[in-house]
Amino acid sequence: MKRLVFILSILVLVGVAYFAAEYDRSIQFNELPPVAQQLINANFPHDKSVYITADWDDFKVVLSGGQKLEFDRNGNWTDIECGTTGVPEALLPAQILTHIQQSFPGAKVIGISADWQGYDVELNTGIEIEYDKNFQVSKIDD
């Protein structure tokens, strides 16, 4: 009985180690989906990728300028954090950009994330805005 428990324990540990190795592994820039490569090259031309990881459903990229980007398995961005430099306007949905420019003149978007429900936006003023999938404001935290 002890032998069986020991063998099962070893099998579980090997299985966990195998799956852990498959998740969050380091990759090279050219291993990103082409859509993600194009987005980075077009919007962050002066920043090199410092660290890129992949797991079964997403990619995480850290650039030399401190920007952090996350992409889904197809290469579509899901999260962008740009700190004080701000998220490039070309990456913001037009409706969100217009709303921020009209309602918060001079503010920069320093972070944006997207999911099936909508968008979460963080401004350099400390204000956080949630938009639904139709780009309607659903919540503002200041």
Side-chain angles (χ1 to χ4, degrees):
M1 184 65 165
K2 287 183 181 181
R3 181 179 237 177
L4 179 62
V5 170
F6 178 74
I7 291 172
L8 288 175
S9 297
I10 295 296
L11 288 174
V12 167
L13 288 174
V14 168
V16 167
Y18 172 77
F19 285 110
E22 287 299 305
Y23 298 110
D24 235 13
R25 68 190 193 289
S26 291
I27 63 169
Q28 299 298 313
F29 183 79
N30 63 356
E31 296 176 84
L32 286 170
V35 173
Q37 291 180 37
Q38 292 167 358
L39 180 142
I40 292 169
N41 288 333
N43 294 283
F44 303 97
H46 304 293
D47 296 299
K48 304 290 183 221
S49 56
V50 175
Y51 186 69
I52 304 172
T53 60
D55 64 25
W56 69 276
D57 71 340
D58 69 357
F59 300 90
K60 295 178 179 136
V61 179
V62 177
L63 299 177
S64 58
Q67 304 91 336
K68 297 176 185 172
L69 299 97
E70 292 185 25
F71 300 93
D72 64 19
R73 72 181 103 179
N74 298 318
N76 301 307
W77 68 264
T78 57
D79 190 58
I80 303 172
E81 296 176 28
C82 289
T84 58
T85 61
V87 175
E89 289 183 355
L91 297 178
L92 301 173
Q95 300 92 325
I96 291 176
L97 180 60
T98 300
H99 174 255
I100 290 169
Q101 289 174 336
Q102 291 174 349
S103 301
F104 306 97
K108 282 187 194 177
V109 174
I110 59 171
I112 185 167
S113 61
D115 62 22
W116 64 275
Q117 293 178 317
Y119 298 85
D120 292 331
V121 174
E122 183 179 354
L123 303 179
N124 64 335
T125 59
I127 294 173
E128 295 182 20
I129 308 165
E130 291 181 18
Y131 297 87
D132 65 20
K133 61 185 174 188
N134 297 315
F135 303 104
Q136 300 300 309
V137 174
S138 59
K139 183 177 180 183
I140 297 179
D141 287 332
D142 52 354

